[in-house]
Amino acid sequence: MNDAGNKTAMNLAKLSEFVGLIFCVLGVVSGIYHMLNSLSMGGVLVLHILTTGCFPTVAGGLLLIVAGRILRVVIDNSRE
């Protein structure tokens, strides 16, 4: 791969990691917000909100971070 392709791929890896980090932070903040707002309604509602919205958002963010890290490793190995 040429230098321009490496630079583009590295930028894509950085973007993937950044978006993944944003998803993780938003998932955690959303979970805490919904837990605090629905404590008066009972534990089942809190569990439902966490399992349907917050956990998948955090999992998707972690997958984006891992994909960015894997892309960085592949790019570094292709330079050699």
Side-chain angles (χ1 to χ4, degrees):
M1 208 185 273
N2 57 10
D3 289 336
N6 281 341
K7 190 173 185 180
T8 303
M10 285 298 280
N11 288 336
L12 185 63
K14 289 177 186 177
L15 179 66
S16 174
E17 290 179 25
F18 181 71
V19 171
L21 182 65
I22 289 174
F23 275 25
C24 286
V25 169
L26 288 178
V28 169
V29 169
S30 173
I32 291 171
Y33 174 76
H34 286 299
M35 278 191 343
L36 293 177
N37 280 341
S38 59
L39 281 176
S40 62
M41 296 190 178
V44 176
L45 183 62
V46 173
L47 182 64
H48 175 66
I49 289 171
L50 288 178
T51 56
T52 58
C54 300
F55 291 152
T57 304
V58 172
L62 290 174
L63 285 174
L64 281 171
I65 292 171
V66 168
R69 291 291 175 171
I70 290 172
L71 184 57
R72 281 188 185 202
V73 168
V74 169
I75 293 167
D76 286 340
N77 284 338
S78 70
R79 288 182 183 175
E80 297 174 359

